[in-house]
Amino acid sequence: MRFLPDAEQREFARALDALLTAAGTPRTARAWAAGDPAPGRALWSRLADAGVFALAVPEEHEGLGPLPVELAVAFTELGRHAVPGPLVETVAAAALLDRLGDKAASAAWLPRVAAGRAVVSLGVPALTGPYALDADTADAVFVAEDDTLRLAGAAGPVQPSADPVRRLARPSAGGTVLARGPEVAAATAYAAEVAALATAAQSLGLGRALLDRTVAYVRQRTQFGVPVGSFQAVKHRLADTLLALEFAQPLVHAAALALAARGTAPREVAAAKVTAGEAAHAAARTALQLHGAVGYTEELDLSLWIRKARPLRDAWGTPASCRARVLAP
Amino acid sequence: MDLDFSAADDAFRAEARAWLAAHVPAAPLPSLETAEGFAAHRAWEAELAADRWSVVSWPEEYGGRGSSVLRWLVFEEEYYAAGAPGRVAQNGINLLAPTLFEHGTDEQRARVLPPMASGEVVWAQAWSEPESGSDLASLRSTAVRTDGGWLLSGQKTWSSRAAFADRAFGLFRSDPGADRPHRGLTYLMFPLGAEGVTVRPVGRLDGKPAFAELFLDGVFVPDEDVIGAPGDGWRVAMSTAGNERGLTLRSPGRFSAAADRLTALWRERADPSDTALRDRVADAVIGAEAYRLFTYAHASRLAAGGSIGAESSLNKVFWSELDIALHETALDLLGPYGELSDEAAEAPAHGGWAEGHTFSLAGPIYAGTNEIQRDIIAERLLGLPKGRR
């Protein structure tokens, strides 16, 4: 039966959770936002050592994958700890190169991705708009557009954004064309599914962290002489937050299983993406409301999670596009 | 969805599908909330039971197949996908039977379960009272000790199926002097046709007598119809409440089948430019799938030796809200036909969603209101402090 993650997958999640808890990700994320990627790069290497990026890279290129279920497990933890960087884009680019089967490009980049030596961004303008995440600091920015895959040059200036940890920049025009043809479109569609799955898992972890932090807060914050968490209006909002996350989780797991089994699972991935994205977005709104004014501050680390929820909901598949895909014939 | 079923599971599914294809009535039965429909649904229970499909998860000695929870879920998927009738026996099968398996005696199981499985005896629940709804432990109906048994008196209400059912089960106050309200309660089974019982059917929103008030005046119940120890009824009943909210009351198959029907209706009738409606259909489809996967995950935990506790409150809130969303979206797709009752001559051409919609509206109320469920979720799953209700 595979309705639940197995013992090994659960242990992998626990190990990553412990690693990231000890790493103190809020400081890393704030440095990343301020334009200092060094702590983020150091953490990136440790995640690579733990096997995270190898999950998206096939064995022939020094990886362990592709392993979508383990990837979803890992990205849930990355989301839980608000880890900075183009995590999704890196594994999606690896998926694209792997599916494309271009030997030179794969040999050049995939071993480096698996080992954590390449931080990679990916732009698919038709899906992600004109910006590529963290394109200013990435070691490579791939752009897939109109049946063409190219390696872009240096990125344009960073556009300040709602979540400053997500640094948005336009990839440069031109660069090196790596491949051209319908196989690029097919590989890009697959990469977009991997990206959507990883983003859904990230949202799930993000939502869990928002819920956990908010529950802890309303248990200790007192007003009218009692913990505010004893009020029914507060309880019910948190119950709804848990409900949404609990029912998003099996969709994410099932989408990963489907992707692993069939190599493509557009409907399942879309269902997981919209559900996890909406659940995390709602969790952020709840976290903000129940923390009150202090939750509205940049200073509180909670802001690192709150500000990421809405961008993740829309990245690699807006809610509307996901819903349309679920019903596509 | 790529979920692993064993070859034996697949064979079981195929067997169920073949049987249902051969037996499910071509035309829907009349509403089970009418006298005529109740009789037709009772006959259907007998037909199911004749080939051991009425209670697949029960041991064979009581009419079941000894199937796992997972197999039961598979059966339910096939059952609703086949458009088979609603289960008039479900109160007994889903609420009373689990209690008998856990707290009953061998004699009670041997006496009560087989006629329940065959539809020969249809059961109603008798929990609520006029002054005791969510605060069930405040109930006032009494069980007074008498020679060889108990005398039941008082009033029960919102008793589902009681208008036409044969017997009922519920809680009665047997020790008025107990120190706490939920102590001193006893769980009893009693006949609805007995001397001293008056049944007053109550029309629900659509007027059909889906439930009833029960007036009890010194109704004799022998000791053999007490479940568990006298005075221990609250604990005994709570195991039933857990089942009612949890896996066994609303199997995912119902919602998966309804979502499939909704999708078909949307493809057939929707204005493609109406993306707001499209999004609601998509959410209903996703919700049905999420509920299915969530339930299979829980069934897997059960199979691995785990148990279901407060998690069943998550289930209850989710399916009850999903059910309403599914039906309201269907009614909106139907436009003017969404106003027709299922009995209307022109209704069959438009999907017959009306009764299901009426039924769905009760979901957030019965089996513990969703407000109570959210309290349970917050207090037992999230660890928030108890407060005033």
Side-chain angles (χ1 to χ4, degrees):
Chain A
M1 274 322 143
R2 297 191 301 175
F3 304 109
L4 295 165
D6 64 28
E8 206 172 316
Q9 289 157 356
R10 291 198 301 272
E11 182 48 41
F12 181 45
R14 271 193 295 273
L16 283 177
D17 186 31
L19 184 163
L20 292 166
T21 301
T25 49
R27 255 180 302 124
T28 311
R30 287 185 188 278
W32 189 274
D36 171 15
R41 295 290 300 231
L43 181 59
W44 193 282
S45 292
R46 297 184 60 201
L47 290 169
D49 293 344
V52 169
F53 302 109
L55 299 172
V57 174
E59 286 181 26
E60 63 174 304
H61 293 293
E62 299 169 31
L64 303 163
L67 290 170
V69 178
E70 285 73 9
L71 203 65
V73 167
F75 271 77
T76 302
E77 299 312 314
L78 300 176
R80 192 191 308 275
H81 291 277
V83 176
L87 300 152
V88 168
E89 290 68 20
T90 294
V91 297
L96 199 163
L97 293 176
D98 177 27
R99 184 61 67 97
L100 194 58
D102 181 290
K103 284 200 168 48
S106 295
W109 289 102
L110 294 182
R112 292 179 61 192
V113 166
R117 284 182 285 112
V119 173
V120 176
S121 188
L122 172 66
V124 182
L127 284 172
T128 60
Y131 309 116
L133 187 65
D134 300 309
D136 61 324
T137 50
D139 301 306
V141 181
F142 293 94
V143 177
E145 189 172 21
D146 300 335
D147 285 8
T148 301
L149 177 68
R150 64 186 169 90
L151 187 55
V158 171
Q159 306 292 319
S161 63
D163 175 8
V165 184
R166 288 173 58 87
R167 296 165 64 84
L168 305 177
R170 275 180 196 267
S172 66
T176 313
V177 171
L178 298 175
R180 192 168 280 169
E183 64 276 12
V184 171
T188 304
Y190 168 65
E193 285 186 40
V194 172
L197 173 67
T199 307
Q202 213 179 356
S203 292
L204 199 59
L206 188 90
R208 286 278 177 190
L210 285 159
L211 175 62
D212 290 347
R213 283 170 174 256
T214 307
V215 165
Y217 181 76
V218 301
R219 281 162 57 100
Q220 55 93 8
R221 168 73 176 170
T222 62
Q223 286 290 278
F224 306 103
V226 294
V228 297
S230 67
F231 300 136
Q232 217 170 20
V234 170
K235 281 182 181 166
H236 288 191
R237 191 149 180 182
L238 288 167
D240 284 337
T241 305
L242 178 65
L243 263 164
L245 292 165
E246 283 281 342
F247 283 90
Q249 186 163 320
L251 288 169
V252 173
H253 184 60
L257 285 172
L259 199 55
R262 299 204 304 266
T264 179
R267 287 186 72 252
E268 288 89 344
V269 168
K273 174 72 178 61
V274 60
T275 309
E278 297 272 35
H281 182 242
R285 292 289 313 281
T286 296
L288 173 57
Q289 182 65 26
L290 298 187
H291 275 79
V294 73
Y296 190 62
T297 62
E298 198 270 336
E299 185 180 298
L300 193 72
D301 281 341
L302 187 73
S303 64
L304 296 167
W305 281 264
I306 288 179
R307 293 184 300 198
K308 207 178 294 297
R310 217 190 63 82
L312 287 187
R313 185 189 62 162
D314 291 349
W316 297 104
T318 61
S321 69
C322 288
R323 290 188 172 105
R325 181 162 281 200
V326 165
L327 292 177
Chain B
M1 197 57 65
D2 300 278
L3 295 171
D4 276 357
F5 292 99
S6 67
D9 293 333
D10 289 340
F12 174 84
R13 185 187 289 279
E15 187 190 352
R17 185 176 296 183
W19 188 90
L20 289 162
H23 290 81
V24 169
L29 302 181
S31 167
L32 70 82
E33 312 294 5
T34 62
E36 179 200 7
F38 198 92
H41 281 79
R42 191 196 286 268
W44 168 248
E45 291 291 327
E47 194 172 342
L48 280 170
D51 289 322
R52 291 186 177 264
W53 290 112
S54 67
V55 286
V56 295
S57 62
W58 288 12
E60 290 183 20
E61 59 183 306
Y62 303 124
R65 292 172 175 242
S67 301
S68 65
V69 178
L70 208 69
R71 289 264 173 96
W72 174 75
L73 291 169
V74 167
F75 172 74
E76 291 279 296
E77 279 182 10
E78 292 301 319
Y79 187 86
Y80 288 102
R87 300 294 303 274
V88 72
Q90 68 171 8
N91 274 312
I93 292 170
N94 295 339
L95 307 183
L96 177 57
T99 305
L100 285 171
F101 282 122
E102 197 173 331
H103 300 282
T105 64
D106 285 341
E107 184 279 323
Q108 287 173 326
R109 285 188 281 270
R111 174 163 52 87
V112 174
L113 294 177
M116 181 192 292
S118 67
E120 188 186 332
V121 174
V122 176
W123 290 82
Q125 53 82 5
W127 301 125
S128 294
E129 296 181 4
E131 302 300 327
S132 300
S134 291
D135 183 11
L136 185 62
S138 69
L139 64 88
R140 300 175 189 176
S141 293
T142 55
V144 175
R145 197 80 185 103
T146 186
D147 193 25
W150 301 81
L151 295 173
L152 308 185
S153 296
Q155 186 182 349
K156 293 287 181 181
T157 192
W158 320 133
S159 181
S160 303
R161 305 288 105 71
F164 308 109
D166 307 295
R167 292 175 65 82
F169 53 91
L171 287 176
F172 293 83
R173 191 163 298 286
S174 52
D175 179 6
D179 56 349
R180 308 246 299 268
H182 58 269
R183 298 212 176 123
L185 298 175
T186 296
Y187 194 130
L188 293 124
M189 302 180 280
F190 58 97
L192 288 168
E195 195 179 330
V197 180
T198 305
V199 178
R200 188 183 80 83
V202 179
R204 67 175 177 193
L205 267 183
D206 66 358
K208 296 192 181 100
F211 43 26
E213 285 183 297
L214 309 177
F215 300 91
L216 308 168
D217 183 11
V219 180
F220 177 74
V221 173
D223 282 328
E224 65 183 27
D225 283 338
V226 173
I227 305 178
D232 200 27
W234 183 259
R235 195 177 66 84
V236 173
M238 284 307 105
S239 68
T240 309
N243 279 295
E244 182 171 4
R245 289 190 299 269
L247 276 178
T248 55
L249 185 64
R250 294 287 174 258
S251 68
R254 295 168 65 99
F255 308 108
S256 300
D260 287 347
R261 287 174 62 217
L262 179 68
T263 306
L265 188 68
W266 175 75
R267 292 200 197 289
E268 180 189 311
R269 302 204 184 190
D271 168 0
S273 70
D274 188 344
T275 53
L277 198 52
R278 179 202 68 196
D279 285 356
R280 289 170 58 201
V281 173
D283 282 343
V285 168
I286 294 168
E289 187 61 11
Y291 184 60
R292 175 171 178 265
L293 294 165
F294 183 91
T295 306
Y296 275 103
H298 270 290
S300 296
R301 274 194 199 106
L302 278 178
S307 63
I308 294 187
E311 290 82 2
S312 64
S313 293
L314 294 167
N315 256 29
K316 200 267 166 169
V317 173
F318 192 84
W319 65 248
S320 58
E321 295 188 347
L322 170 65
D323 202 22
I324 292 181
L326 273 163
H327 284 87
E328 295 206 324
T329 305
L331 295 189
D332 288 351
L333 273 164
L334 289 169
Y337 303 108
E339 212 174 319
L340 297 178
S341 294
D342 287 352
E343 287 75 20
E346 295 191 5
H350 303 287
W353 289 88
E355 178 140 346
H357 176 245
T358 300
F359 186 66
S360 75
L361 292 176
I365 301 168
Y366 62 72
T369 67
N370 285 11
E371 285 75 16
I372 292 290
Q373 307 304 344
R374 287 186 165 93
D375 282 350
I376 293 171
I377 292 165
E379 290 169 12
R380 299 197 205 155
L381 297 180
L382 294 176
L384 294 175
K386 273 188 178 292
R388 284 186 61 80
R389 296 279 179 251

